[in-house]
Amino acid sequence: MSTTSAETAKAGPGGGPRGAKAGPDPVYRLSLNLRQSGIYVAFALIVVLFTVLTGGDLLQPQNISNIIVQNSYILILAIGMILVIISGHIDLSVGSVVAVTGAIAAVLMVNHDVAWPLALVVTLGAGALIGAWQGYWIAYFGIPSFIVTLAGMLLFRALTLTVLGNQGIGPFPSEIRTLSNGFTAGYLGNVGLGVLGGADLFSLLCGLAACGGFAVAQWRARAARLGYGQSVDPYPVFLLKIAAAAALIMAMTVQLARFRNLPWVLVLLAALVLGYTLLTNRAVFGRRIYAVGGNLQAATLSGVNARSIVFWIFVNMGVLSALAGVIFAGRLNQAGPTAGNTFELDAIAAAFIGGAAVQGGVGKVVGAITGGLIMGVINNGMSLVGAPSERVMLVKGIVLLAAVAFDVWTKRRAGAPLLR
C-alpha cells in the first residue's frame, strides 16, 4: 500500500522522517505475526468463552480483581522466567525459593519483630544470594540449568522445612498484607458512570495514563521503523490496534474502579512489566539476553560475556522469586512449608504459552504476563462453572501442549531448522 500525501509530505529523503538517514522507501502493509499476535487472539477467545459459560460472572468487577490478586505471584515469577527461557535455560527451583524466602520473611517479621522494610530488603537479598549460588554453577561451572535448579528445588524445600520447623508462621504485618491483598484509597473520590454506577476517579485516571503511555510508545516505535524504511501497518490499522488495546485497558480499569479501586499488587506488577519491557527492548543487557539465547557462539564471538549474562539472569530470578514469596505469604498471612508447590510449572507454562521459544532467543515480558493470565482465567473460569480439579489440569495441559506445538509449527512455516 502506498503512502498518503500527508505522510509523503512529512517524510524526508528515503521515506523516513525529515532529518533521518536516507534509506529505502517504507512499505505500508498489514502485518500479522502469528507468534506475536496469536497469543492475544487466543486470550480474547478464552475470555469470551468463559464469559459465555459463566453467564457473565467472569467479567464481574470482584472476579476480575480476584483473578489479578490470586495470580499475582505467578505473574511475578513469569517475568523472571521469560528472561531465563529467552537465554536458553530453565529454572525448576522457583517454587522452593518462594517457600524459603517467605519463611525467612516470616521469621524476621514475626519471630524477631524486624521492621518490615528492613525484613523485605533482607529477604530480597537472600533471594539474590540463592540466584547467585545457582547462577555460579550454571554460568561458570558449566552444569546444565535443569540439573542445578532441580537440585535447588530439593535443597531449598528442605531448607524451608528447617527454617519453619514444619509449621506455619504468622500473622504478617498489616503493610505486607496490604501489598498482597489491599487496594488503593479513593484519593480523588468517585465519579458517576451512568448505568455502571460510581467508580474511583483516581483509578480511571491511571487507566487513561496507561492508554496514553501505550499509544506514545507504539507511535515512537512506528516512527523509528519508518525512519529505517521498514514495513509498518497503514495508519487506519495502526490506530485500530491502539484503540483496541486502549478499550481493553479501560474496560478492566472501569471494572476495578467500580469494585475496590486498583489492587496494590497490580500497581507493583505494572511497574515491573514497564521496567522489564524497557530492559529487554531498550537496554544493552536486554539485547544481549536475546543474543545469548538465539546463538550463543555468535554472541560470544561478538564480544558478549555470556557467562556474566546468564549469572545475572539467575540472580534476577532469585530476587523476583523472593518478592513472589513475600506476596504469597502476605496473601495467606502466614509462611507455610508447602508454599510454592508447582509454582515453577505455572511460571514455565506462562512463559511458553506467552510465546517463548523452546530453544531460546524469543519471547516478550508482555507475552509471559498474557500467558499467566490465560492460566489464571482458565483456573477461575472452570472454578466458576464447577469443573473438578482433574478437568482443570487436563485443560491446562492441553493449552500448554498447543502453545508449544504452535511455536514449532510457526518455525516450520518460516523454514527455521528444528532440533531433533
Side-chain angles (χ1 to χ4, degrees), residues 7-358:
E7 290 167 335
T8 304
K10 293 180 181 179
R18 292 192 181 276
K21 182 179 179 180
D25 290 337
V27 178
Y28 293 84
R29 61 183 176 86
L30 177 61
S31 62
L32 181 60
N33 188 317
L34 288 177
R35 176 180 285 172
Q36 295 181 5
S37 304
I39 181 63
Y40 307 113
V41 174
F43 180 47
L45 293 176
I46 290 173
V47 170
V48 171
L49 173 63
F50 281 108
T51 300
V52 173
L53 293 178
T54 61
D57 290 343
L58 181 77
L59 297 183
Q60 291 299 313
Q62 182 175 357
N63 195 60
I64 292 178
S65 179
N66 287 339
I67 291 174
I68 295 172
V69 173
Q70 291 171 0
N71 294 278
S72 57
Y73 32 88
I74 298 299
L75 299 179
I76 292 173
L77 292 175
I79 293 174
M81 189 64 70
I82 191 70
L83 300 185
V84 172
I85 292 175
I86 289 172
S87 69
H89 294 276
I90 200 74
D91 192 340
L92 301 178
S93 68
V94 294
S96 296
V97 178
V98 165
V100 72
T101 51
I104 292 171
V107 169
L108 291 174
M109 297 182 197
V110 179
N111 290 358
H112 295 92
D113 295 322
V114 177
W116 73 268
L118 177 58
L120 180 59
V121 171
V122 173
T123 302
L124 296 180
L129 289 176
I130 290 173
W133 163 265
Q134 299 193 123
Y136 167 78
W137 292 110
I138 296 166
Y140 295 104
F141 207 79
I143 302 177
S145 58
F146 182 91
I147 301 299
V148 172
T149 58
L150 180 60
M153 180 175 67
L154 302 174
L155 173 65
F156 300 122
R157 182 63 61 180
L159 188 58
T160 301
L161 297 174
T162 302
V163 171
L164 293 178
N166 206 20
Q167 63 181 0
I169 297 179
F172 276 78
S174 59
E175 292 84 359
I176 299 298
R177 298 198 304 271
T178 298
L179 177 62
S180 304
N181 297 313
F183 299 82
T184 58
Y187 302 111
L188 302 178
N190 281 14
V191 61
L193 296 179
V195 295
L196 296 178
D200 177 52
L201 179 58
F202 177 78
S203 299
L204 295 177
L205 292 177
C206 289
L208 290 173
C211 292
F214 175 79
V216 170
Q218 294 300 307
W219 189 276
R220 292 184 62 181
R222 187 179 192 275
R225 292 177 67 88
L226 280 172
Y228 288 99
Q230 299 176 354
S231 63
V232 295
D233 290 326
Y235 267 123
V237 176
F238 171 72
L239 294 176
L240 181 61
K241 288 183 176 181
I242 291 181
L248 177 62
I249 293 173
M250 287 309 302
M252 185 185 72
T253 303
V254 167
Q255 293 295 75
L256 292 174
R258 291 175 58 204
F259 177 52
R260 294 177 62 187
N261 309 339
L262 298 178
W264 275 112
V265 74
L266 177 60
V267 177
L268 173 62
L269 274 169
L272 290 174
V273 170
L274 177 60
Y276 279 91
T277 298
L278 291 175
L279 171 69
T280 54
N281 292 346
R282 302 292 180 87
V284 173
F285 183 81
R287 292 195 293 271
R288 289 178 175 175
I289 294 175
Y290 285 98
V292 169
N295 192 321
L296 178 59
Q297 289 75 18
T300 303
L301 292 174
S302 299
V304 175
N305 189 341
R307 291 182 175 180
S308 175
I309 296 294
V310 171
F311 174 81
W312 286 109
I313 286 173
F314 278 92
V315 171
N316 174 76
M317 187 73 256
V319 172
L320 290 179
S321 298
L323 179 60
V326 174
I327 296 294
F328 182 70
R331 173 168 170 73
L332 298 183
N333 202 21
Q334 76 166 9
T338 61
N341 279 342
T342 74
F343 280 15
E344 60 278 351
L345 303 182
D346 288 334
I348 293 170
F352 282 126
I353 292 173
V358 178

